[in-house]
């Protein structure tokens, strides 16, 4: 199983038009007033291909799909869905905002409670920190903040009717099966590369805090 899990080092997006011309994210985004993320795609873009080059332990792998392809269930273009889905996964896994990497208030409050309960230098405190966050949160009785609650609800919707993924499996095994790309992904290893490509796609519509 482990040798079938993708560990992503880098993701690069390019766009190929019907004449075979290939553009980078920056070049392609200049064709739109505020980038191409979450905007209506012109009909003349039909036939343009999104080409995703993934560098990983599987060597170089390429995924490609039509720029104007829509996902009926999500109600968005595929490119928008992938960015939105992986933003939700990144934020749930890290319990933090993807732009600033700032932890959700629930995380900070929970850690403070168990720190006061057991003492920062105690073995019990270290054991608690090693547990899945959902277990710690339940035992500390901290109310969820609006941001963490919204993220949880979004993640719950993603996992609904998903036979391969679950909250428990993702947290304990640190892997996720991408049903769109048909591949298992090592989250612990890959999420930093995934965040980087999300930042590049979304740079025209958000202001990011640099690491």
């Amino acid at each position: 199983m482990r040798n079938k899990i993708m560990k992503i080092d880098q993701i690069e997006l390019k766009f190929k038009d019907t004449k075979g011309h290939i553009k980078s994210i920056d070049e392609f985004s200049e064709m739109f007033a505020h980038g191409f993320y979450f905007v209506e795609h012109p009909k003349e873009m039909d036939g343009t291909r999104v080409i995703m080059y993934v560098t990983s332990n599987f060597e170089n792998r390429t995924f490609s799909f039509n720029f104007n392809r829509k996902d009926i269930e999500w109600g968005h273009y595929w490119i928008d869905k992938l960015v939105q889905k992986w933003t939700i996964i990144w934020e749930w896994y890290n319990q933090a905002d993807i732009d600033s990497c700032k932890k959700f208030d629930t995380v900070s409050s929970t850690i403070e409670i168990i720190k006061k309960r057991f003492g920062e230098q105690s073995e019990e405190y270290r054991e608690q920190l090693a547990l899945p966050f959902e277990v710690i949160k339940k035992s500390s009785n901290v109310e969820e903040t609006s941001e963490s609650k919204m993220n949880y609800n979004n993640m719950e919707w993603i996992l609904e009717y998903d036979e391969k993924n679950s909250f428990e499996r993702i947290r304990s095994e640190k892997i996720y099966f991408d049903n769109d790309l048909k591949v298992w992904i090592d989250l612990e290893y890959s999420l930093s590369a995934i965040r980087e490509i999300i930042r590049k796609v979304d740079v025209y519509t958000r202001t990011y805090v640099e690491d």
Side-chain angles (χ1 to χ4, degrees):
M1 173 64 177
R2 283 291 160 184
N3 60 353
K4 297 180 180 179
I5 299 174
M6 178 179 281
K7 295 183 176 183
I8 300 173
D9 293 302
Q10 185 181 32
I11 302 173
E12 184 179 11
L13 281 186
K14 290 187 180 292
F15 302 83
K16 184 177 181 180
D17 64 23
T18 53
K19 295 181 180 180
H21 299 143
I22 297 177
K23 289 182 170 65
S24 66
I25 289 179
D26 291 338
E27 292 168 332
F28 191 72
S29 295
E30 288 174 358
M31 302 169 66
F32 300 82
H34 300 288
F36 59 83
Y37 178 48
F38 267 125
V39 297
E40 188 64 26
H41 295 184
K43 288 184 178 179
E44 54 266 30
M45 289 289 182
D46 196 34
T48 296
R49 303 288 297 178
V50 180
I51 306 173
M52 184 163 62
Y53 301 96
V54 179
T55 304
S56 71
N57 58 320
F58 290 178
E59 297 181 348
N60 296 329
R61 181 170 291 193
T62 302
F63 301 92
S64 179
F65 52 91
N66 195 310
F67 179 64
N68 281 2
R69 179 178 178 178
K70 280 193 173 182
D71 185 284
I72 297 175
E73 185 180 2
W74 280 68
H76 295 296
Y77 296 103
W78 245 52
I79 185 69
D80 297 341
K81 173 194 174 180
L82 286 173
V83 173
Q84 188 179 34
K85 177 180 72 175
W86 278 101
T87 296
I88 292 168
I89 293 170
W90 191 99
E91 292 191 333
W92 176 80
Y93 190 84
N94 290 285
Q95 286 295 296
D97 177 79
I98 195 170
D99 294 351
S100 64
C101 291
K102 181 182 178 182
K103 290 290 185 181
F104 292 153
D105 289 342
T106 306
V107 179
S108 301
S109 301
T110 303
I111 292 174
E112 283 303 313
I113 285 177
I114 64 172
K115 185 186 294 184
K116 291 179 180 178
R117 183 179 299 172
F118 300 109
E120 189 172 0
Q121 304 302 321
S122 68
E123 184 177 345
E124 291 87 348
Y125 176 70
R126 290 192 293 272
E127 289 175 350
Q128 285 286 310
L129 291 184
L131 295 172
F133 178 71
E134 284 71 24
V135 176
I136 304 173
K137 183 171 63 179
K138 187 177 293 185
S139 65
S140 62
N141 298 317
V142 177
E143 290 188 15
E144 287 190 288
T145 60
S146 57
E147 56 188 4
S148 62
K149 179 68 173 176
M150 182 182 298
N151 174 257
Y152 179 87
N153 290 342
N154 288 335
M155 190 68 179
E156 192 172 44
W157 185 78
I158 288 176
L159 296 178
E160 190 175 15
Y161 309 121
D162 192 326
E163 296 180 355
K164 291 183 179 291
N165 299 300
S166 67
F167 283 109
E168 293 77 14
R169 182 170 197 178
I170 295 171
R171 187 61 76 189
S172 61
E173 298 183 34
K174 299 177 172 48
I175 57 175
Y176 176 82
F177 184 79
D178 192 304
N179 289 286
D180 297 311
L181 305 180
K182 307 299 181 188
V183 64
W184 285 102
I185 296 175
D186 183 319
L187 295 179
E188 194 77 10
Y189 189 95
S190 307
L191 281 178
S192 59
I194 291 171
R195 178 176 181 258
E196 279 305 305
I197 193 62
I198 289 175
R199 292 174 65 171
K200 289 177 182 176
V201 168
D202 212 7
V203 72
Y204 289 88
T205 54
R206 295 193 205 180
T207 301
Y208 284 96
V209 176
E210 295 296 330
D211 293 332

